[in-house]
Amino acid sequence: MILFVAGLVLFLGIHSVAIFAPAWRDAQAARNERAWKGIYAVISLAGFVLLIYGYGIARQSPVVVWSPPTFMRHVALLVMLPVFPLLLAAYLPGRIKAAAKHPMLLAVKFWALAHLLANGTLVDSILFGAFLVWAVLDRIAVKKRAVARAIPGAPPSKPNDAIALIGGLVLYGAFLMGIHRWLIGVSPLG
């Protein structure tokens, strides 16, 4: 569990610099953007690797916090439905992105909530609870920014919404049909 928590702290920690120290983050990026992005990437990757490895180890000896009823898996499947279209909409500007304002953060919230509903172990509660709290805090911080940061992506166009929606639903179907089992070792369909 120590590796998992260390990875979670590193990964969400570096992703939280803009929430808790936006002026410092902006100063580092202004001083040397390439160095800042390099450090950010290395810490993110190290945190992600520790998080994944530690999560795998922690899952081998699960501590059950609660036992979700079977119907919660069905609810989680519904809550997950907009996640992939929202992820794609973050990089394909259109009406979906305009309506959601911050589709990536909204996708993380839906993803975390769905997994909290369907999983009842301690490691799952920590992982998905931490991501949910982080996404809420980041959304609040983004609202307070005087100037929005540019997110790289495709230029705005009318087909972007169709691509995000259709592509996102195809990705969702692929995850249901096997990618989730291949990556995580568990099928969301039971």
Side-chain angles (χ1 to χ4, degrees):
M1 187 69 100
I2 292 171
L3 290 175
F4 165 72
V5 172
L8 192 62
V9 167
L10 276 175
F11 187 81
L12 290 181
I14 195 67
H15 282 82
S16 298
V17 171
I19 298 171
F20 298 107
W24 182 82
R25 181 249 175 241
D26 292 344
Q28 301 312 306
R31 187 168 26 165
N32 188 336
E33 187 174 9
R34 290 182 66 170
W36 169 250
K37 286 182 176 181
I39 291 167
Y40 191 96
V42 167
I43 292 172
S44 293
L45 184 60
F48 189 67
V49 168
L50 283 173
L51 188 153
I52 297 298
Y53 184 72
Y55 181 77
I57 292 171
R59 282 181 48 195
Q60 294 174 8
S61 303
V63 176
V64 177
V65 176
W66 74 298
S67 296
T70 304
F71 77 88
M72 282 299 200
R73 263 194 286 174
H74 304 293
V75 173
L77 290 171
L78 286 173
V79 173
M80 280 294 297
L81 195 58
V83 169
F84 290 102
L86 285 168
L87 284 174
L88 294 180
Y91 300 100
L92 297 166
R95 288 182 300 202
I96 296 172
K97 183 173 183 174
K101 294 196 184 348
H102 299 282
M104 178 70 75
L105 293 175
L106 189 54
V108 171
K109 290 177 195 177
F110 280 131
W111 170 80
L113 177 61
H115 286 79
L116 283 170
L117 294 173
N119 298 287
T121 67
L122 180 61
V123 71
D124 290 321
S125 298
I126 293 170
L127 175 65
F128 301 115
F131 270 90
L132 182 58
V133 168
W134 171 82
V136 169
L137 292 175
D138 199 25
R139 178 66 177 102
I140 292 167
V142 167
K143 280 184 185 178
K144 292 181 180 180
R145 285 187 195 143
V147 177
R149 288 197 189 103
I151 297 173
S157 72
K158 290 183 180 182
N160 283 351
D161 288 322
I163 294 167
L165 185 60
I166 294 166
L169 292 176
V170 167
L171 278 172
Y172 180 62
F175 264 78
L176 287 179
M177 295 300 133
I179 293 176
H180 195 279
R181 177 184 287 283
W182 178 71
L183 283 175
I184 312 300
V186 176
S187 172
L189 299 176

